[in-house]
Amino acid sequence: MAGPLVRPRRLRTTPALRRMVGETSLEARQLVLPLFVREGLAEPKPISSMPGVVQHTRDSLLKAVAEAADLGLGGVMLFGIPETKDATGSGGIDPAGVLNLAITDVVAEVGDALTVMSDLCLDEFTDHGHCGVLTADGRVDNDRTLAAYAEMARAQAHAGVDMVGPSGMMDGQVAVIRAALDDAEHTDVSILAYSAKYASAFFGPFREAVDSSLEGDRRTYQQDPGNAREGVREALLDVAEGADIVMVKPALAYLDVVQRVRAAVDVPVAAYNISGEYAMVEAAAANGWIDREAAIFETLTSIRRAGADIVLTYWAAEAARLMRAAASR
């Protein structure tokens, strides 16, 4: 019996062959580690819905970023959790607020070895848990929120941040932040725009991670999960307003949006492998249902394959350690 003329399996015969013809790479430099720092903690506090992830003290945060730098990660994304919150999220603007102090700490610790990024949003700092300032009838006031974002951007830049990450999905936020930074002579501070951020069920564990006060939802400003073209439109608007990098969040349920955005823009594209995506893999692995390490790499590779140049993931340090160990064998 005549065999097939074309045999794709030939290129899968050995590890060396598979490596040589591999289409998608995963490297430590492409990974960003999100980190939470909480005001007033005496020791790191585990996040129950995200096994292996903690709310850091200012001291333990420095150990985490030093390791991230040693591992060759691309950067860290900092989130701050204050002891007290108010209606306007003033703790995010206060130079002595936990996030701004953490930025200064981290920059002093790692210098240029890591890109130090910070979340630029009010939700961790507001007592109502929304990403902006509210009107009297409880709606998020877009333009008053933009004024707060401008102040927050200046505060984070003054603290020494390399890159701000506006995540609130307010119309015009990138343009306002870019102008605020430039007017304050922080022209070198770059913007990672959360451009296509969806109102997702997969954010659940993150709410625990930042002690969210949110009641209700964010559907009036985050995107509808069914809308892909809108995600591309938002990314194009952010590029036009001065975004240096655009991001899709979440990643796994929106790989098609990652691919569309990558095709549409000429700046780097990031994707955030979010808390619920992380928690699902960890829970399945804890039950013995999947091979944990293989699932981690398959997940991260899928995000890269869809077109993301940068992946924010809670597995960043672990993945880098595993890749380093594999390379040294």
Side-chain angles (χ1 to χ4, degrees):
M1 184 178 71
L5 177 64
V6 179
R7 293 181 181 267
R9 285 183 56 192
R10 290 192 188 105
L11 298 184
R12 304 173 196 148
T13 305
T14 67
L17 256 176
R18 294 193 294 271
R19 185 171 63 249
M20 184 177 72
V21 300
E23 298 176 23
T24 304
S25 66
L26 184 65
E27 304 171 40
R29 67 179 180 85
Q30 299 160 340
L31 305 179
V32 172
L33 178 63
L35 292 165
F36 305 100
V37 57
R38 180 171 177 170
E39 188 174 21
L41 283 184
E43 59 185 22
K45 181 181 178 182
I47 299 165
S48 64
S49 56
M50 299 174 68
V53 182
V54 302
Q55 294 175 338
H56 282 283
T57 67
R58 285 175 66 186
D59 287 339
S60 69
L61 177 68
L62 296 186
K63 295 176 184 176
V65 299
E67 181 192 33
D70 178 69
L71 289 167
L73 296 185
V76 291
M77 174 64 78
L78 304 179
F79 295 87
I81 305 157
E83 285 190 292
T84 60
K85 306 178 183 183
D86 58 30
T88 61
S90 61
I93 296 165
D94 184 356
V98 62
L99 180 55
N100 293 321
L101 292 176
I103 290 167
T104 301
D105 290 345
V106 169
V107 171
E109 180 70 22
V110 301
D112 293 335
L114 279 177
T115 303
V116 179
M117 310 175 185
S118 54
D119 182 56
L120 200 166
C121 195
L122 297 178
D123 59 317
E124 293 103 280
F125 300 94
T126 55
D127 53 15
H128 47 74
H130 278 288
C131 297
V133 181
L134 300 185
T135 62
D137 61 356
R139 294 178 295 109
V140 175
D141 187 321
N142 192 92
D143 294 2
R144 285 179 61 211
T145 299
L146 294 182
Y149 286 1
E151 289 188 67
M152 199 170 183
R154 287 189 288 265
Q156 292 182 357
H158 182 71
V161 79
D162 298 312
M163 182 179 293
V164 295
S167 61
M169 289 298 290
M170 297 297 118
D171 293 340
Q173 62 184 16
V174 171
V176 165
I177 290 166
R178 183 72 271 159
L181 291 170
D182 290 352
D183 289 348
E185 299 184 353
H186 290 297
T187 56
D188 289 339
V189 174
S190 50
I191 298 175
L192 165 61
Y194 287 58
S195 299
K197 184 177 179 182
Y198 288 84
S200 172
F202 294 105
F203 288 131
F206 183 87
R207 305 273 167 85
E208 179 192 355
V210 297
D211 288 355
S212 175
S213 306
L214 181 67
E215 295 183 5
D217 59 50
R218 297 183 172 128
R219 294 184 181 277
T220 64
Y221 44 104
Q222 294 179 353
Q223 288 180 230
D224 188 293
N227 293 357
R229 290 193 304 271
E230 185 182 30
V232 175
R233 182 188 185 206
E234 289 275 12
L236 291 170
L237 285 169
D238 284 348
V239 171
E241 291 179 12
D244 299 285
I245 302 172
V246 295
M247 185 157 69
V248 177
K249 182 180 181 181
L252 289 184
Y254 299 90
L255 294 178
D256 62 315
V257 181
V258 175
Q259 187 174 49
R260 291 188 191 207
V261 169
R262 173 64 286 163
V265 303
D266 57 3
V267 299
V269 174
Y272 199 141
N273 175 214
I274 68 167
S275 61
E277 298 167 350
Y278 173 92
M280 287 192 301
V281 171
E282 292 293 338
N287 279 282
W289 297 335
I290 58 173
D291 179 331
R292 180 177 176 276
E293 289 184 7
I296 290 171
F297 281 102
E298 189 172 341
T299 295
L300 300 181
T301 301
S302 76
I303 299 168
R304 287 275 298 122
R305 189 180 66 245
D309 304 290
I310 302 159
V311 182
L312 281 73
T313 176
Y314 301 100
W315 289 306
E318 180 177 3
R321 285 193 296 269
L322 292 170
M323 287 187 285
R324 177 177 287 182
S328 66
R329 292 191 188 115

